Coordinates of all heavy atoms in Angstrom, one line a residue:
M1 N 0.8 -1.2 0.0 CA 0.0 0.0 0.0 C 0.9 1.2 0.0 O 0.7 2.2 -0.8 CB -0.8 0.0 1.3 CG -2.4 -0.2 1.2 SD -3.2 0.0 -0.4 CE -4.5 1.1 0.1
H2 N 1.8 1.2 0.9 CA 2.7 2.4 1.0 C 3.5 2.7 -0.2 O 3.6 3.8 -0.7 CB 3.6 2.2 2.3 CG 4.4 3.4 2.5 ND1 3.9 4.6 3.1 CD2 5.7 3.7 2.3 CE1 4.8 5.5 3.2 NE2 5.9 5.0 2.7
S3 N 4.0 1.6 -0.8 CA 4.8 1.8 -2.0 C 4.0 2.3 -3.2 O 4.5 3.0 -4.0 CB 5.5 0.4 -2.3 OG 4.6 -0.5 -2.6
L4 N 2.8 1.9 -3.3 CA 1.9 2.3 -4.4 C 1.7 3.8 -4.3 O 1.7 4.5 -5.3 CB 0.6 1.5 -4.3 CG -0.3 1.7 -5.5 CD1 0.3 1.1 -6.7 CD2 -1.7 1.1 -5.2
R5 N 1.5 4.3 -3.1 CA 1.2 5.7 -3.0 C 2.5 6.6 -3.4 O 2.4 7.6 -4.1 CB 0.9 6.1 -1.5 CG 0.4 7.5 -1.3 CD 0.4 7.9 0.1 NE -0.8 7.4 0.7 CZ -1.3 7.9 1.9 NH1 -0.6 8.8 2.5 NH2 -2.3 7.4 2.4
S6 N 3.6 6.1 -3.0 CA 4.8 6.8 -3.3 C 5.1 6.8 -4.8 O 5.6 7.7 -5.4 CB 6.1 6.3 -2.6 OG 6.3 5.0 -2.9
L7 N 4.6 5.7 -5.5 CA 4.8 5.6 -6.9 C 4.0 6.7 -7.6 O 4.4 7.4 -8.5 CB 4.4 4.2 -7.4 CG 4.5 4.0 -8.9 CD1 6.0 4.0 -9.3 CD2 3.8 2.7 -9.3
S8 N 2.8 6.9 -7.1 CA 1.9 8.0 -7.8 C 2.5 9.4 -7.5 O 2.3 10.2 -8.4 CB 0.5 7.9 -7.2 OG 0.4 8.3 -5.9
V9 N 3.1 9.6 -6.4 CA 3.8 10.9 -6.2 C 4.9 11.1 -7.2 O 5.0 12.1 -7.8 CB 4.3 10.9 -4.7 CG1 5.2 12.2 -4.5 CG2 3.2 10.9 -3.7
V10 N 5.7 10.0 -7.4 CA 6.8 10.1 -8.4 C 6.2 10.4 -9.8 O 6.7 11.3 -10.5 CB 7.6 8.8 -8.3 CG1 8.6 8.8 -9.5 CG2 8.3 8.7 -7.0
L11 N 5.1 9.7 -10.1 CA 4.6 9.9 -11.4 C 4.1 11.4 -11.6 O 4.3 12.0 -12.7 CB 3.4 9.0 -11.7 CG 3.8 7.5 -12.0 CD1 2.5 6.7 -12.1 CD2 4.5 7.5 -13.3
S12 N 3.4 11.9 -10.6 CA 2.9 13.3 -10.7 C 4.1 14.3 -10.8 O 4.0 15.3 -11.5 CB 2.0 13.6 -9.6 OG 2.8 13.7 -8.4
L13 N 5.2 14.0 -10.2 CA 6.3 14.9 -10.3 C 6.9 14.8 -11.7 O 7.4 15.8 -12.2 CB 7.5 14.4 -9.3 CG 7.2 14.8 -7.9 CD1 8.3 14.1 -7.0 CD2 7.2 16.3 -7.7
F14 N 6.8 13.7 -12.4 CA 7.3 13.6 -13.7 C 6.4 14.3 -14.7 O 6.8 15.0 -15.6 CB 7.4 12.1 -14.1 CG 8.8 11.5 -13.9 CD1 9.0 10.7 -12.8 CD2 9.8 11.9 -14.7 CE1 10.3 10.2 -12.6 CE2 11.1 11.4 -14.5 CZ 11.3 10.6 -13.4
T15 N 5.1 14.1 -14.6 CA 4.1 14.7 -15.6 C 3.9 16.2 -15.4 O 3.6 16.8 -16.3 CB 2.8 13.9 -15.5 OG1 2.4 13.9 -14.2 CG2 3.0 12.5 -16.0
A16 N 4.0 16.7 -14.2 CA 3.6 18.1 -13.9 C 4.3 19.1 -14.8 O 3.7 19.9 -15.4 CB 3.7 18.4 -12.4
P17 N 5.7 19.0 -14.8 CA 6.4 20.0 -15.6 C 6.0 20.0 -17.1 O 6.0 21.0 -17.8 CB 7.8 19.7 -15.4 CG 7.9 18.8 -14.3 CD 6.6 18.1 -14.2
V18 N 5.8 18.8 -17.6 CA 5.4 18.6 -19.0 C 4.1 19.3 -19.3 O 3.9 20.1 -20.3 CB 5.3 17.1 -19.4 CG1 4.9 17.0 -20.9 CG2 6.7 16.5 -19.2
L19 N 3.1 19.1 -18.4 CA 1.8 19.7 -18.6 C 1.8 21.2 -18.5 O 1.2 21.9 -19.2 CB 0.8 19.1 -17.6 CG 0.4 17.7 -17.8 CD1 -0.4 17.2 -16.6 CD2 -0.4 17.5 -19.1
A20 N 2.7 21.7 -17.6 CA 2.8 23.1 -17.4 C 3.4 23.8 -18.7 O 3.1 24.9 -19.0 CB 3.6 23.4 -16.2
A21 N 4.3 23.1 -19.3 CA 5.0 23.7 -20.5 C 4.2 23.8 -21.7 O 4.4 24.6 -22.5 CB 6.3 22.9 -20.7
E22 N 3.2 22.9 -21.8 CA 2.5 22.7 -23.1 C 1.7 24.0 -23.6 O 1.9 24.4 -24.7 CB 1.6 21.5 -23.1 CG 1.9 20.6 -24.3 CD 1.3 19.3 -24.2 OE1 1.2 18.7 -23.1 OE2 0.9 18.8 -25.2
P23 N 0.9 24.6 -22.7 CA 0.1 25.7 -23.2 C 0.9 26.9 -23.6 O 0.3 27.9 -24.1 CB -0.9 25.9 -22.1 CG -0.6 24.9 -21.0 CD 0.7 24.3 -21.3
Q24 N 2.2 26.9 -23.3 CA 3.0 28.1 -23.5 C 3.4 28.3 -25.0 O 4.1 29.2 -25.3 CB 4.2 28.1 -22.6 CG 3.9 28.1 -21.1 CD 3.1 29.3 -20.6 OE1 3.4 30.4 -21.1 NE2 2.2 29.1 -19.8
A25 N 3.0 27.3 -25.8 CA 3.5 27.4 -27.2 C 3.0 28.7 -27.9 O 1.9 29.1 -27.7 CB 2.9 26.2 -28.0
A26 N 4.0 29.3 -28.6 CA 3.7 30.6 -29.2 C 2.7 30.4 -30.4 O 2.8 29.4 -31.1 CB 5.0 31.2 -29.7
P27 N 1.8 31.3 -30.6 CA 0.9 31.2 -31.7 C 1.7 31.2 -33.0 O 2.6 32.1 -33.2 CB 0.0 32.4 -31.6 CG 0.7 33.4 -30.7 CD 1.6 32.5 -29.8
Q28 N 1.3 30.3 -33.9 CA 2.1 30.2 -35.2 C 1.5 31.1 -36.2 O 0.3 31.2 -36.4 CB 2.0 28.8 -35.7 CG 2.8 27.8 -34.8 CD 4.2 27.6 -35.2 OE1 4.5 27.4 -36.4 NE2 5.1 27.9 -34.3
A29 N 2.3 31.9 -36.9 CA 1.9 32.7 -38.0 C 1.6 31.8 -39.2 O 2.2 30.8 -39.4 CB 2.9 33.7 -38.4
P30 N 0.6 32.2 -40.0 CA 0.3 31.3 -41.2 C 1.4 31.2 -42.2 O 1.5 30.2 -42.9 CB -1.0 32.0 -41.8 CG -1.0 33.4 -41.2 CD -0.3 33.3 -39.9
T31 N 2.2 32.3 -42.3 CA 3.3 32.2 -43.3 C 4.6 31.8 -42.6 O 4.7 31.8 -41.4 CB 3.5 33.6 -43.9 OG1 3.7 34.6 -42.8 CG2 2.4 34.0 -44.8
A32 N 5.5 31.3 -43.4 CA 6.8 30.8 -42.8 C 7.7 32.0 -42.4 O 8.5 31.9 -41.6 CB 7.5 30.0 -43.8
E33 N 7.5 33.2 -43.0 CA 8.3 34.3 -42.7 C 8.1 34.8 -41.3 O 6.9 34.8 -40.9 CB 8.1 35.4 -43.8 CG 8.7 35.1 -45.1 CD 8.5 36.3 -46.1 OE1 8.4 37.4 -45.6 OE2 8.4 36.0 -47.3
P34 N 9.1 35.4 -40.7 CA 8.8 36.0 -39.4 C 7.9 37.2 -39.6 O 8.0 37.9 -40.6 CB 10.2 36.5 -38.9 CG 11.1 36.4 -40.1 CD 10.5 35.4 -41.1
E35 N 7.1 37.4 -38.6 CA 6.0 38.4 -38.8 C 6.6 39.8 -38.6 O 7.1 40.2 -37.6 CB 4.9 38.2 -37.7 CG 3.6 38.7 -38.2 CD 2.5 38.4 -37.3 OE1 2.5 37.3 -36.7 OE2 1.6 39.2 -37.1
K36 N 6.5 40.6 -39.7 CA 6.9 42.0 -39.6 C 5.7 42.8 -40.1 O 5.1 42.5 -41.0 CB 8.1 42.2 -40.5 CG 9.4 41.6 -39.9 CD 10.5 41.8 -40.9 CE 11.8 41.1 -40.3 NZ 12.6 40.7 -41.4
P37 N 5.5 44.0 -39.4 CA 4.4 44.8 -39.9 C 4.6 45.3 -41.3 O 5.7 45.9 -41.6 CB 4.3 45.9 -38.9 CG 5.6 45.9 -38.2 CD 6.2 44.5 -38.3
R38 N 3.6 45.2 -42.2 CA 3.8 45.6 -43.5 C 2.8 46.8 -43.8 O 1.7 46.8 -43.2 CB 3.5 44.5 -44.5 CG 4.6 43.5 -44.6 CD 4.2 42.3 -45.5 NE 5.4 41.4 -45.6 CZ 6.2 41.5 -46.6 NH1 6.0 42.3 -47.6 NH2 7.2 40.6 -46.7
C39 N 3.2 47.7 -44.6 CA 2.4 48.9 -44.9 C 1.5 48.5 -46.1 O 1.5 47.4 -46.6 CB 3.3 50.1 -45.2 SG 4.1 49.9 -46.8
E40 N 0.7 49.6 -46.5 CA -0.2 49.4 -47.6 C 0.5 49.0 -48.9 O -0.1 48.6 -49.9 CB -1.0 50.6 -47.8 CG -0.1 51.8 -48.2 CD -0.9 53.1 -48.1 OE1 -1.7 53.4 -49.0 OE2 -0.7 53.9 -47.2
H41 N 1.8 49.2 -49.0 CA 2.6 48.9 -50.2 C 3.2 47.5 -50.2 O 3.9 47.1 -51.1 CB 3.7 49.9 -50.4 CG 3.3 51.4 -50.3 ND1 3.5 52.2 -49.3 CD2 2.5 52.0 -51.2 CE1 3.0 53.4 -49.5 NE2 2.3 53.3 -50.7
G42 N 2.9 46.8 -49.1 CA 3.4 45.4 -49.0 C 4.9 45.3 -48.7 O 5.5 44.3 -48.8
V43 N 5.4 46.5 -48.2 CA 6.8 46.5 -47.8 C 6.9 46.6 -46.3 O 5.9 47.0 -45.6 CB 7.5 47.8 -48.4 CG1 8.9 47.9 -48.0 CG2 7.3 47.8 -49.9
Q44 N 8.0 46.1 -45.7 CA 8.1 46.2 -44.3 C 8.0 47.7 -43.9 O 8.7 48.5 -44.5 CB 9.5 45.6 -43.9 CG 9.7 45.5 -42.4 CD 11.0 45.0 -42.0 OE1 11.6 44.2 -42.7 NE2 11.6 45.5 -40.9
K45 N 7.1 48.0 -43.0 CA 6.7 49.3 -42.8 C 7.9 50.3 -42.5 O 7.9 51.4 -42.9 CB 5.6 49.4 -41.7 CG 4.9 50.7 -41.7 CD 3.6 50.6 -40.9 CE 2.7 51.8 -41.2 NZ 1.4 51.6 -40.6
S46 N 8.8 49.8 -41.6 CA 9.9 50.6 -41.2 C 10.9 50.9 -42.3 O 11.7 51.7 -42.2 CB 10.6 50.0 -40.0 OG 11.0 48.7 -40.3
L47 N 10.7 50.1 -43.4 CA 11.7 50.3 -44.5 C 11.0 50.9 -45.8 O 11.7 51.0 -46.8 CB 12.3 48.9 -44.9 CG 13.1 48.2 -43.9 CD1 13.6 46.9 -44.3 CD2 14.4 49.1 -43.5
C48 N 9.7 51.2 -45.7 CA 9.0 51.7 -46.9 C 9.3 53.2 -47.1 O 9.0 54.0 -46.3 CB 7.5 51.5 -46.7 SG 6.6 52.1 -48.2
A49 N 10.0 53.5 -48.2 CA 10.4 54.8 -48.5 C 9.2 55.7 -49.0 O 9.2 56.9 -48.9 CB 11.4 54.9 -49.6
R50 N 8.1 55.0 -49.4 CA 6.9 55.8 -49.8 C 6.1 56.2 -48.6 O 5.5 57.2 -48.5 CB 6.0 54.9 -50.7 CG 6.6 54.9 -52.1 CD 5.9 53.9 -53.0 NE 6.3 52.5 -52.7 CZ 5.7 51.4 -53.3 NH1 4.7 51.6 -54.1 NH2 6.2 50.3 -53.0
C51 N 6.2 55.4 -47.5 CA 5.5 55.8 -46.2 C 6.5 56.7 -45.4 O 6.0 57.5 -44.6 CB 5.2 54.5 -45.4 SG 3.9 53.5 -46.1
N52 N 7.7 56.5 -45.6 CA 8.7 57.3 -44.8 C 9.6 58.0 -45.8 O 10.7 57.5 -46.1 CB 9.6 56.3 -43.9 CG 8.7 55.4 -43.1 OD1 8.0 55.8 -42.2 ND2 8.7 54.1 -43.5
P53 N 9.2 59.1 -46.3 CA 10.0 59.8 -47.3 C 11.4 60.2 -46.8 O 12.3 60.4 -47.6 CB 9.2 61.1 -47.6 CG 7.8 60.8 -47.2 CD 7.9 59.8 -46.1
K54 N 11.6 60.2 -45.5 CA 12.9 60.5 -45.0 C 13.9 59.4 -45.3 O 15.1 59.7 -45.2 CB 12.8 60.7 -43.4 CG 12.2 61.9 -42.9 CD 12.1 61.9 -41.4 CE 11.3 63.0 -40.9 NZ 11.0 62.8 -39.4
L55 N 13.4 58.3 -45.6 CA 14.3 57.2 -45.9 C 14.9 57.3 -47.4 O 15.9 56.6 -47.7 CB 13.6 55.8 -45.8 CG 13.2 55.4 -44.4 CD1 12.4 54.1 -44.5 CD2 14.4 55.1 -43.6
A56 N 14.3 58.1 -48.2 CA 14.7 58.2 -49.6 C 16.2 58.5 -49.7 O 16.9 57.7 -50.4 CB 13.9 59.2 -50.3
P57 N 16.8 59.5 -49.0 CA 18.2 59.7 -49.1 C 19.1 58.5 -48.7 O 20.2 58.3 -49.2 CB 18.5 60.9 -48.2 CG 17.2 61.5 -47.9 CD 16.2 60.4 -48.1
V58 N 18.5 57.7 -47.7 CA 19.3 56.5 -47.2 C 19.4 55.5 -48.4 O 20.5 55.0 -48.6 CB 18.6 55.9 -46.0 CG1 19.3 54.7 -45.5 CG2 18.4 57.0 -44.9
F59 N 18.3 55.3 -49.0 CA 18.3 54.3 -50.1 C 19.1 54.8 -51.3 O 19.9 54.1 -51.9 CB 16.9 54.0 -50.6 CG 16.2 53.0 -49.7 CD1 15.2 53.5 -48.7 CD2 16.4 51.7 -49.7 CE1 14.6 52.6 -47.9 CE2 15.7 50.8 -48.9 CZ 14.8 51.3 -48.0
K60 N 19.0 56.1 -51.6 CA 19.8 56.7 -52.6 C 21.3 56.6 -52.3 O 22.1 56.3 -53.2 CB 19.5 58.2 -52.8 CG 18.2 58.4 -53.5 CD 17.8 59.9 -53.5 CE 16.4 60.1 -54.1 NZ 15.9 61.5 -54.0
A61 N 21.7 56.7 -51.1 CA 23.1 56.6 -50.7 C 23.6 55.2 -50.9 O 24.8 54.9 -51.1 CB 23.3 57.0 -49.2
K62 N 22.6 54.2 -50.7 CA 23.0 52.8 -50.9 C 22.9 52.4 -52.4 O 23.0 51.2 -52.7 CB 22.1 51.9 -50.1 CG 22.3 52.0 -48.6 CD 21.7 50.9 -47.8 CE 20.1 50.9 -47.9 NZ 19.5 49.8 -47.1
K63 N 22.7 53.3 -53.2 CA 22.5 53.0 -54.7 C 21.3 52.1 -54.9 O 21.3 51.3 -55.8 CB 23.8 52.4 -55.3 CG 25.0 53.2 -55.0 CD 25.2 54.3 -56.1 CE 26.5 55.0 -55.8 NZ 26.4 56.5 -56.0
D64 N 20.4 52.1 -54.0 CA 19.2 51.3 -54.1 C 18.0 52.3 -54.3 O 17.2 52.6 -53.4 CB 19.0 50.5 -52.8 CG 17.7 49.6 -52.9 OD1 17.1 49.5 -54.0 OD2 17.4 49.0 -51.9
W65 N 18.0 52.8 -55.6 CA 16.9 53.8 -55.8 C 16.5 53.8 -57.3 O 17.4 53.6 -58.2 CB 17.5 55.2 -55.5 CG 16.3 56.2 -55.5 CD1 16.1 57.2 -56.5 CD2 15.3 56.4 -54.6 NE1 15.0 57.9 -56.2 CE2 14.5 57.5 -55.0 CE3 15.0 55.7 -53.4 CZ2 13.4 57.9 -54.3 CZ3 13.9 56.2 -52.7 CH2 13.1 57.2 -53.1
C66 N 15.2 53.8 -57.5 CA 14.7 53.9 -58.9 C 14.2 55.3 -59.1 O 13.1 55.6 -58.6 CB 13.5 52.8 -59.0 SG 12.7 52.9 -60.6
P67 N 14.9 56.1 -59.8 CA 14.5 57.5 -60.0 C 13.2 57.6 -60.9 O 12.4 58.5 -60.7 CB 15.7 58.1 -60.7 CG 16.5 57.0 -61.3 CD 16.2 55.8 -60.4
E68 N 13.0 56.6 -61.7 CA 11.9 56.6 -62.6 C 10.6 56.5 -61.8 O 9.6 57.2 -62.2 CB 12.0 55.4 -63.6 CG 11.2 55.6 -64.8 CD 11.4 54.3 -65.7 OE1 12.4 53.7 -65.7 OE2 10.4 54.0 -66.4
H69 N 10.6 55.7 -60.8 CA 9.4 55.5 -60.0 C 9.4 56.0 -58.6 O 8.5 55.8 -57.8 CB 9.0 54.0 -60.0 CG 8.9 53.4 -61.4 ND1 9.8 52.5 -61.9 CD2 8.0 53.7 -62.4 CE1 9.4 52.2 -63.1 NE2 8.4 52.9 -63.5
A70 N 10.5 56.7 -58.3 CA 10.7 57.5 -57.0 C 10.5 56.5 -55.8 O 9.7 56.8 -55.0 CB 9.8 58.7 -57.0
R71 N 11.2 55.4 -55.9 CA 11.1 54.5 -54.7 C 12.4 53.6 -54.8 O 13.0 53.6 -55.9 CB 9.9 53.6 -54.8 CG 9.9 52.7 -56.0 CD 8.5 52.0 -56.2 NE 7.6 53.0 -56.7 CZ 6.3 52.7 -57.1 NH1 5.9 51.5 -57.1 NH2 5.5 53.6 -57.5
P72 N 12.7 53.0 -53.7 CA 13.9 52.1 -53.8 C 13.8 51.0 -54.8 O 12.7 50.5 -55.0 CB 14.0 51.5 -52.4 CG 13.3 52.5 -51.5 CD 12.2 53.0 -52.4
E73 N 14.8 50.8 -55.5 CA 14.8 49.7 -56.5 C 14.4 48.4 -55.9 O 13.6 47.7 -56.6 CB 16.3 49.6 -57.1 CG 16.4 48.6 -58.3 CD 15.7 49.2 -59.6 OE1 15.8 50.4 -59.8 OE2 15.1 48.5 -60.3
S74 N 14.8 48.1 -54.7 CA 14.4 46.9 -54.1 C 12.9 46.9 -53.7 O 12.4 45.8 -53.2 CB 15.3 46.7 -52.8 OG 15.1 47.7 -51.9
Q75 N 12.2 48.0 -53.8 CA 10.8 48.0 -53.5 C 10.0 48.4 -54.7 O 8.8 48.6 -54.7 CB 10.5 49.1 -52.4 CG 11.2 48.7 -51.1 CD 11.0 49.9 -50.1 OE1 10.2 50.8 -50.2 NE2 11.7 49.8 -49.0
C76 N 10.7 48.4 -55.9 CA 10.0 48.8 -57.1 C 9.5 47.6 -57.9 O 10.2 47.0 -58.6 CB 11.0 49.6 -58.0 SG 10.1 50.3 -59.4
V77 N 8.2 47.4 -57.7 CA 7.6 46.2 -58.4 C 7.4 46.5 -59.9 O 7.3 45.5 -60.6 CB 6.2 45.9 -57.7 CG1 5.2 46.9 -58.1 CG2 5.8 44.5 -58.0
L78 N 7.5 47.7 -60.3 CA 7.3 48.1 -61.7 C 8.6 47.6 -62.5 O 8.5 47.2 -63.6 CB 7.1 49.6 -61.9 CG 5.8 50.1 -61.2 CD1 5.9 51.6 -61.0 CD2 4.6 49.7 -62.0
C79 N 9.8 47.7 -61.8 CA 11.0 47.3 -62.4 C 11.3 45.9 -62.1 O 12.1 45.2 -62.8 CB 12.2 48.2 -61.9 SG 12.1 49.9 -62.5
N80 N 10.8 45.4 -61.0 CA 11.1 44.0 -60.5 C 9.8 43.3 -60.3 O 9.3 43.2 -59.1 CB 11.9 44.0 -59.2 CG 13.2 44.8 -59.4 OD1 14.1 44.4 -60.1 ND2 13.2 46.0 -58.8
P81 N 9.1 42.8 -61.3 CA 7.8 42.2 -61.2 C 7.8 41.0 -60.2 O 6.7 40.7 -59.7 CB 7.4 41.7 -62.6 CG 8.3 42.5 -63.5 CD 9.6 42.8 -62.7
E82 N 8.9 40.4 -60.0 CA 8.9 39.2 -59.1 C 8.6 39.7 -57.6 O 8.3 38.9 -56.8 CB 10.2 38.5 -59.1 CG 11.5 39.2 -58.6 CD 12.2 40.0 -59.7 OE1 11.5 40.4 -60.7 OE2 13.4 40.3 -59.5
L83 N 8.8 41.0 -57.3 CA 8.4 41.5 -56.0 C 6.9 41.3 -55.7 O 6.5 41.3 -54.5 CB 8.8 43.0 -55.9 CG 10.3 43.3 -55.7 CD1 10.6 44.8 -55.7 CD2 10.9 42.7 -54.5
A84 N 6.1 41.3 -56.7 CA 4.7 41.1 -56.5 C 4.4 39.8 -55.8 O 3.4 39.8 -55.1 CB 4.0 41.2 -57.9
K85 N 5.2 38.8 -56.1 CA 5.0 37.6 -55.4 C 5.2 37.7 -53.9 O 4.6 36.9 -53.1 CB 6.0 36.5 -55.9 CG 5.7 36.1 -57.3 CD 6.8 35.1 -57.8 CE 6.9 35.1 -59.3 NZ 8.1 34.5 -59.8
K86 N 6.0 38.7 -53.4 CA 6.1 38.9 -52.0 C 5.1 39.9 -51.5 O 5.1 40.2 -50.3 CB 7.5 39.6 -51.8 CG 8.7 38.7 -52.1 CD 10.0 39.4 -51.8 CE 11.2 38.7 -52.3 NZ 12.4 39.5 -52.0
G87 N 4.2 40.3 -52.3 CA 3.1 41.2 -51.9 C 3.4 42.6 -52.0 O 2.6 43.5 -51.6
V88 N 4.5 43.0 -52.7 CA 4.8 44.4 -52.9 C 3.9 45.0 -53.9 O 3.7 44.4 -55.0 CB 6.3 44.5 -53.3 CG1 6.7 46.0 -53.5 CG2 7.2 44.0 -52.2
K89 N 3.4 46.2 -53.6 CA 2.5 46.9 -54.6 C 3.2 48.1 -55.1 O 4.0 48.7 -54.5 CB 1.2 47.3 -53.9 CG 0.4 46.1 -53.5 CD -0.8 46.5 -52.7 CE -1.6 45.4 -52.2 NZ -1.0 44.8 -51.1
Ligands
LIG1 ZN1 4.4 52.0 -47.7
LIG2 ZN1 11.2 51.4 -61.1

């Protein structure tokens, strides 16, 4: 009798930490990419030169600029149609 009771105590010690850890799983985003806030242009908001005109000189300095469409070349879906697959508008 006594040994049976101590066995159940041991079992509860084993299972308790596992049960406590399970509900802590982070909510999974539907896409594989890490979640970053995107603006209406489909660009990472903090990097969108159309939302943040102050960024324009930064992109120009990096030679990442499309003068024809007044936006960074890396955000210019008109010059880089494959960007549309990433949701860039
Ligand atoms: Zn934008
Ligand atoms: Zn362009």
Side-chain angles (χ1 to χ4, degrees):
M1 246 346 227
H2 184 76
S3 63
L4 189 67
R5 187 194 282 199
S6 62
L7 180 67
S8 68
V9 170
V10 169
L11 281 175
S12 67
L13 283 174
F14 267 105
T15 52
V18 176
L19 291 172
E22 232 168 326
Q24 301 298 322
Q28 291 271 307
T31 52
E33 285 184 28
E35 207 175 322
K36 287 176 186 152
R38 286 176 176 261
C39 70
E40 61 190 287
H41 306 110
V43 179
Q44 191 184 323
K45 197 160 191 171
S46 55
L47 295 177
C48 181
R50 282 171 283 173
C51 289
N52 309 289
K54 286 180 192 169
L55 290 176
V58 178
F59 283 100
K60 284 175 184 171
K62 289 197 292 182
K63 308 272 184 221
D64 181 8
W65 191 254
C66 175
E68 200 180 332
H69 303 114
R71 66 191 70 172
E73 187 71 38
S74 61
Q75 295 172 13
C76 185
V77 73
L78 299 161
C79 292
N80 305 288
E82 69 271 21
L83 287 175
K85 292 176 198 162
K86 297 184 190 173
V88 177
K89 294 180 183 74

